[in-house]
Amino acid sequence: MLIIQHNLFIWSGSSEKIISKKFGELVLMEYIWSFLEREWVDAADKSILDSQTKFDEVSNKVAKALKNTGGFLNELAGNEPIALPHTLWFGILDLAQNLIQRSSLIATYGLCYYLAIESLNRAPSSFIQFKSIELLLHLYNIDNKVFSMIEIDFDQYTQKLSENNLEDSLEKFRNLLTFVKEKYLEDLKILSNNTGKGKEGKGKNLNQNSYLKKEQISNSNILDVIADEITCPISSEPTDQLCILKCQHMLALSNLKKLKQKICPNCREKIEDNDIRYLPQNSIYKNLYTKFLNLDIFYLQLN
Ligand SMILES: [Zn+2]
């Protein structure tokens, strides 16, 4: 996974411009989605309690081991190797967080936002909850206008927990949310102290209620941007199978096959078969498809 990311960044960063940065990010996002999709299926198979118990067990073990630091290594060696469940899931969310840092594409932010939301909703343990919250706070820190709805998302999540009578989980999640927010603020402080400039302005109100805009902010904007990225200019529909042409324009594979003249419908550059790059977006498309449909309904209502 990391190797794929590394290669893509080198690839897209090279002066030859074999693939554009945007293309690289879209490919990477598709990978991330397809990996997490598998994790979600796995998680759905097991009960929430199962994973949470396992998680508590492991974290207790770590806490115990940390208390008597003297025998720390012995303790670790004596026990079975510590295997936190869902480390891959956690790692992928971390990768997404990393990607946000380097990216300037709103579509990438948006895809990471939905990644975090879906992960939070399916989170089998506080381990994943923690990372999802962190990712959302991170997005908020990058653009607090676009991602001003995260507080509503947290509210909705807690509401969901209380509706399902998961009092324990609810209490745990509230504590976790406070904890992660505080931790994130600390991290920001350290960052801004180190660089001596910049970021403190953006995130400073994070733990005050002043930034909690209670008005219903529609997240259709982000969806719109994502949909745009995977929309074929011929059919004007989001699609799961795109092709990138040499001129960096793209169109749906199915429409490429239908072209009578092999020229780019956008800039009329001749299409050479060797220069077509296939860009699958199956996982992203599959997971966001219903949201795109709602988007259409949303716009129908507007008009
Ligand atoms: Zn073109």
Side-chain angles (χ1 to χ4, degrees), residues 30-297:
E30 173 62 21
Y31 268 110
I32 290 178
W33 275 85
S34 64
F35 270 104
L36 272 196
E37 210 177 38
R38 264 176 258 165
E39 291 291 302
W40 292 338
V41 173
D42 284 353
D45 289 344
K46 293 169 200 151
S47 78
I48 290 182
L49 277 174
D50 190 39
S51 309
Q52 182 67 46
T53 320
K54 206 166 155 201
F55 175 75
D56 288 343
E57 214 172 89
V58 177
S59 51
N60 281 341
K61 236 179 241 176
V62 176
K64 219 173 83 191
L66 282 174
K67 262 181 216 153
N68 47 45
T69 27
F72 180 56
L73 281 176
N74 287 339
E75 187 94 16
L76 278 184
N79 283 318
E80 60 194 288
I82 290 177
L84 282 169
H86 312 297
T87 35
L88 180 64
W89 190 341
F90 189 92
I92 293 171
L93 290 177
D94 200 50
L95 193 66
Q97 196 172 329
N98 226 297
L99 182 65
I100 297 170
Q101 205 72 52
R102 303 168 183 236
S103 176
S104 51
L105 274 185
I106 301 283
T108 301
Y109 298 161
L111 284 170
C112 289
Y113 165 75
Y114 281 105
L115 214 54
I117 292 291
E118 296 293 313
S119 290
L120 185 61
N121 282 327
R122 296 158 203 252
S125 66
S126 33
F127 189 47
I128 297 301
Q129 282 178 339
F130 165 83
K131 198 64 201 175
S132 307
I133 297 169
E134 200 180 49
L135 190 55
L136 289 171
L137 291 178
H138 203 63
L139 284 166
Y140 178 82
N141 185 50
I142 284 176
D143 194 327
N144 57 13
K145 285 205 187 68
V146 176
F147 295 103
S148 51
M149 74 299 234
I150 63 164
E151 207 51 49
I152 297 167
D153 291 322
F154 291 145
D155 281 352
Q156 278 174 355
Y157 185 70
T158 43
Q159 211 176 336
K160 206 182 81 183
L161 287 179
S162 68
E163 273 167 15
N164 288 315
N165 288 322
L166 297 165
E167 291 303 327
D168 264 11
S169 310
L170 183 63
E171 186 61 32
K172 264 188 185 167
F173 178 73
R174 286 213 176 105
N175 292 337
L176 184 70
L177 189 60
T178 319
F179 168 75
V180 181
K181 279 183 179 174
E182 278 166 10
K183 177 190 166 290
Y184 192 75
L185 272 179
E186 286 301 312
D187 288 353
L188 280 183
K189 260 186 224 155
I190 294 166
L191 269 181
S192 61
N193 281 346
N194 281 350
T195 53
K197 61 178 173 182
K199 288 211 166 179
E200 69 263 26
K202 280 188 186 169
K204 68 178 172 190
N205 286 331
L206 214 52
N207 66 345
Q208 298 166 10
N209 282 346
S210 61
Y211 87 112
L212 314 182
K213 288 179 197 143
K214 285 296 169 195
E215 68 210 75
Q216 194 66 44
I217 301 148
S218 166
N219 45 18
S220 55
N221 290 344
I222 315 169
L223 258 185
D224 224 13
V225 178
I226 299 172
D228 267 359
E229 286 302 335
I230 60 170
T231 290
C232 169
I234 294 181
S235 55
S236 306
E237 298 268 354
T239 170
D240 56 347
Q241 300 193 308
L242 282 163
C243 289
I244 315 254
L245 306 175
K246 194 186 178 188
C247 53
Q248 302 297 327
H249 292 124
M250 52 187 189
L251 72 166
L253 182 62
S254 51
N255 287 326
L256 177 72
K257 285 177 183 162
K258 280 186 222 151
L259 282 183
K260 289 195 184 84
Q261 280 179 298
K262 293 290 172 203
I263 53 171
C264 169
N266 232 311
C267 66
R268 312 199 65 79
E269 190 177 301
K270 197 160 170 279
I271 300 171
E272 307 281 356
D273 282 347
N274 295 342
D275 291 324
I276 301 167
R277 277 163 216 288
Y278 178 53
L279 174 65
Q281 297 281 285
N282 310 37
S283 301
I284 291 175
Y285 183 77
K286 198 165 79 194
N287 281 287
L288 295 180
Y289 176 70
T290 47
K291 295 194 170 69
F292 291 149
L293 282 184
N294 289 336
L295 198 63
D296 282 345
I297 294 164

